[in-house]
Amino acid sequence: MYQYSDRISYSEVDANLNLTYFNLVNYMQDCSCFHSDDVGVGVHYLAPLDLGWFVTTYEIHINRLPKYMERIKISTYPYQVRGMMARRVYVIESEDDGELLIYADSLWVLMNLKSLHPARLNDKILEAYPLDDEKPDFKFDRSKLQYRDEGELVGKFKVNENHIDTNGHMNNSFYIDVTRRYLPKEDFSQITVNYKKAALLFDELDVYLVELESGYQVVLKKDDEVYTIVEYK
């Protein structure tokens, strides 16, 4: 387990002083990066090897969004670290009373940044992420989202310089930031993201909205190819 504490800043909240979904994903992503770098297999280790971790799935459960000035603890537990992939559980709690605010599951693939093919985890990486017996046992759906072309075209989005991360692709947090703007209403407690293809600088993506029985699906496509599916329930 890896953990750090922080306080919700004014620049991270919305008009209601709640943490934005964009910054929620950034907290989880930062926790992963801090963990990897602190155990010696982070960005500074991977970059010279032309390697990088790509997230393929997030399943985020929200009990309550933390508010401005609230102190929080962010924890991550890597597991099923093998082959070319790894999973991580995230937990965000109130530092004052331990209230469980958010928990999430994720699936990551180690990629060769030149060939854009999956790369096998070496011994150093495997040894850096031992299984933690105290990993919380949350129930996750782990759904593989499907899009059946029944959505309504509701907008277009262009990837700009500020969206790009160190892997040269649109940062994970922006996919939620972009897609949630097309929701008819923000009344949900679960966000599931399946990243199908990475968006690159200046890509122009079509945004499709699908109404589900209990929520919405927002899909980013380019030339009829699905890049990302986000479900809000």
Side-chain angles (χ1 to χ4, degrees), residues 155-160 162-163 170 174-175 177-179 181-182 199-200 202-207 220-221:
K156 293 181 180 292
F157 171 76
K158 185 175 182 178
V159 181
N160 294 316
N162 64 299
H163 300 127
M170 187 161 84
F174 281 109
Y175 290 87
D177 186 54
V178 168
T179 56
R181 301 178 189 184
Y182 293 93
L200 305 177
F202 302 136
D203 274 345
E204 295 187 5
L205 305 175
D206 295 323
V207 185
L220 299 179
K221 296 177 62 178

Coordinates of all heavy atoms in Angstrom, one line a residue, residues 155-160 162-163 170 174-175 177-179 181-182 199-200 202-207 220-221:
G155 N -21.6 16.7 -30.1 CA -20.5 17.7 -30.1 C -19.2 17.2 -30.7 O -19.1 16.0 -31.1
K156 N -18.3 18.1 -30.8 CA -16.9 17.7 -31.3 C -15.9 18.3 -30.3 O -16.2 19.3 -29.6 CB -16.7 18.3 -32.7 CG -17.6 17.6 -33.8 CD -17.3 18.2 -35.1 CE -18.1 17.6 -36.2 NZ -17.8 16.2 -36.4
F157 N -14.7 17.7 -30.3 CA -13.7 18.1 -29.4 C -12.3 17.9 -30.0 O -12.1 16.9 -30.7 CB -13.7 17.2 -28.1 CG -12.6 17.4 -27.2 CD1 -12.5 18.6 -26.4 CD2 -11.5 16.5 -27.1 CE1 -11.4 18.8 -25.5 CE2 -10.5 16.7 -26.3 CZ -10.4 17.9 -25.5
K158 N -11.5 19.0 -29.9 CA -10.2 18.9 -30.5 C -9.1 18.9 -29.4 O -9.2 19.6 -28.4 CB -9.9 20.2 -31.3 CG -8.6 20.1 -32.1 CD -8.4 21.3 -33.0 CE -7.1 21.3 -33.8 NZ -7.0 22.4 -34.7
V159 N -8.2 17.9 -29.5 CA -7.1 17.8 -28.5 C -6.0 18.9 -28.7 O -5.5 19.0 -29.8 CB -6.4 16.4 -28.6 CG1 -5.3 16.2 -27.6 CG2 -7.5 15.3 -28.5
N160 N -5.8 19.6 -27.7 CA -4.8 20.7 -27.7 C -3.6 20.4 -26.9 O -3.5 19.4 -26.2 CB -5.4 22.0 -27.3 CG -6.5 22.5 -28.3 OD1 -6.3 22.4 -29.5 ND2 -7.6 22.9 -27.7
N162 N -2.4 21.6 -24.1 CA -2.6 21.4 -22.6 C -3.2 20.1 -22.2 O -3.2 19.8 -21.0 CB -3.5 22.6 -22.1 CG -4.9 22.5 -22.7 OD1 -5.1 22.6 -23.9 ND2 -5.9 22.4 -21.8
H163 N -3.7 19.3 -23.2 CA -4.3 18.0 -22.8 C -3.2 16.9 -22.9 O -3.6 15.8 -22.4 CB -5.4 17.7 -23.9 CG -6.5 18.6 -23.9 ND1 -6.9 19.2 -25.1 CD2 -7.3 19.2 -22.9 CE1 -7.9 20.1 -24.8 NE2 -8.1 20.0 -23.5
M170 N -3.4 12.3 -24.8 CA -4.3 13.1 -24.0 C -4.3 12.4 -22.6 O -4.5 11.2 -22.4 CB -5.7 13.2 -24.6 CG -6.6 14.1 -23.8 SD -8.1 14.7 -24.7 CE -9.2 13.3 -24.3
F174 N -8.6 14.1 -18.6 CA -9.4 15.0 -19.6 C -10.5 14.2 -20.2 O -11.5 14.9 -20.6 CB -8.4 15.6 -20.6 CG -7.6 16.7 -20.2 CD1 -6.3 16.6 -20.0 CD2 -8.2 18.0 -19.9 CE1 -5.5 17.7 -19.5 CE2 -7.5 19.1 -19.5 CZ -6.1 18.9 -19.3
Y175 N -10.4 12.9 -20.3 CA -11.5 12.2 -20.9 C -12.8 12.3 -20.1 O -13.9 12.5 -20.7 CB -11.2 10.7 -21.1 CG -10.1 10.4 -22.1 CD1 -8.8 10.5 -21.7 CD2 -10.4 10.1 -23.4 CE1 -7.7 10.2 -22.7 CE2 -9.4 9.9 -24.4 CZ -8.1 9.9 -24.0 OH -7.1 9.7 -24.9
D177 N -13.3 14.9 -17.9 CA -13.6 16.3 -17.9 C -14.3 16.7 -19.2 O -15.3 17.5 -19.2 CB -12.3 17.1 -17.9 CG -12.5 18.6 -17.7 OD1 -13.2 19.0 -16.8 OD2 -11.9 19.3 -18.5
V178 N -14.0 16.1 -20.3 CA -14.6 16.4 -21.6 C -16.0 15.8 -21.7 O -17.0 16.5 -22.0 CB -13.8 15.9 -22.8 CG1 -14.6 16.0 -24.1 CG2 -12.5 16.8 -22.9
T179 N -16.1 14.5 -21.4 CA -17.4 13.8 -21.6 C -18.5 14.2 -20.7 O -19.7 14.3 -21.1 CB -17.2 12.3 -21.5 OG1 -16.6 12.0 -20.2 CG2 -16.2 11.8 -22.6
R181 N -19.3 17.0 -19.6 CA -20.0 18.3 -20.1 C -21.2 18.0 -21.0 O -22.0 18.9 -21.2 CB -18.9 19.2 -20.8 CG -17.7 19.5 -19.9 CD -16.7 20.4 -20.7 NE -15.5 20.5 -19.9 CZ -14.5 21.3 -20.3 NH1 -14.6 21.9 -21.5 NH2 -13.4 21.4 -19.6
Y182 N -21.3 16.9 -21.5 CA -22.4 16.5 -22.4 C -23.5 15.8 -21.7 O -24.5 15.4 -22.4 CB -21.8 15.7 -23.6 CG -20.9 16.5 -24.5 CD1 -19.5 16.5 -24.3 CD2 -21.4 17.4 -25.5 CE1 -18.7 17.3 -25.1 CE2 -20.5 18.1 -26.3 CZ -19.2 18.1 -26.1 OH -18.3 18.8 -26.9
A199 N -5.9 9.3 -27.7 CA -6.1 10.5 -28.5 C -4.8 11.3 -28.6 O -4.1 11.5 -27.5 CB -7.2 11.4 -28.0
L200 N -4.4 11.8 -29.7 CA -3.1 12.5 -29.9 C -3.4 14.0 -30.2 O -4.5 14.4 -30.4 CB -2.4 11.9 -31.1 CG -2.1 10.3 -31.0 CD1 -1.4 9.9 -32.3 CD2 -1.3 10.0 -29.8
F202 N -4.0 17.4 -31.6 CA -4.8 17.9 -32.7 C -5.8 16.9 -33.3 O -6.5 17.2 -34.3 CB -3.9 18.5 -33.8 CG -3.0 19.5 -33.4 CD1 -1.7 19.5 -33.8 CD2 -3.4 20.6 -32.5 CE1 -0.8 20.5 -33.4 CE2 -2.5 21.5 -32.1 CZ -1.2 21.5 -32.5
D203 N -6.0 15.8 -32.6 CA -7.1 14.9 -33.0 C -8.4 15.6 -32.8 O -8.6 16.3 -31.8 CB -7.1 13.6 -32.2 CG -6.2 12.5 -32.7 OD1 -5.7 12.6 -33.9 OD2 -5.9 11.5 -32.0
E204 N -9.3 15.4 -33.8 CA -10.7 15.9 -33.7 C -11.6 14.8 -33.5 O -11.8 13.9 -34.3 CB -11.0 16.8 -34.9 CG -10.2 18.0 -35.1 CD -10.6 18.9 -36.2 OE1 -11.7 18.6 -36.8 OE2 -9.9 19.9 -36.5
L205 N -12.3 14.8 -32.3 CA -13.1 13.7 -31.9 C -14.6 14.0 -31.9 O -15.0 15.1 -31.5 CB -12.7 13.2 -30.5 CG -11.2 12.8 -30.3 CD1 -11.0 12.5 -28.8 CD2 -10.8 11.7 -31.2
D206 N -15.4 13.1 -32.4 CA -16.9 13.3 -32.3 C -17.4 12.7 -31.0 O -16.9 11.7 -30.5 CB -17.6 12.5 -33.4 CG -17.2 13.1 -34.8 OD1 -17.1 14.3 -34.9 OD2 -17.1 12.3 -35.8
V207 N -18.3 13.4 -30.4 CA -18.9 13.0 -29.1 C -20.3 12.5 -29.3 O -21.2 13.3 -29.8 CB -18.9 14.2 -28.1 CG1 -19.3 13.8 -26.7 CG2 -17.5 14.9 -28.0
L220 N -16.3 8.9 -27.3 CA -15.5 9.7 -28.2 C -15.0 8.8 -29.4 O -14.5 7.7 -29.2 CB -14.2 10.2 -27.4 CG -14.5 11.1 -26.2 CD1 -13.2 11.5 -25.5 CD2 -15.3 12.3 -26.6
K221 N -15.3 9.3 -30.6 CA -14.9 8.6 -31.8 C -14.2 9.5 -32.8 O -14.3 10.7 -32.8 CB -16.2 8.1 -32.5 CG -17.0 7.1 -31.7 CD -18.3 6.7 -32.4 CE -18.0 6.0 -33.8 NZ -19.2 5.6 -34.5

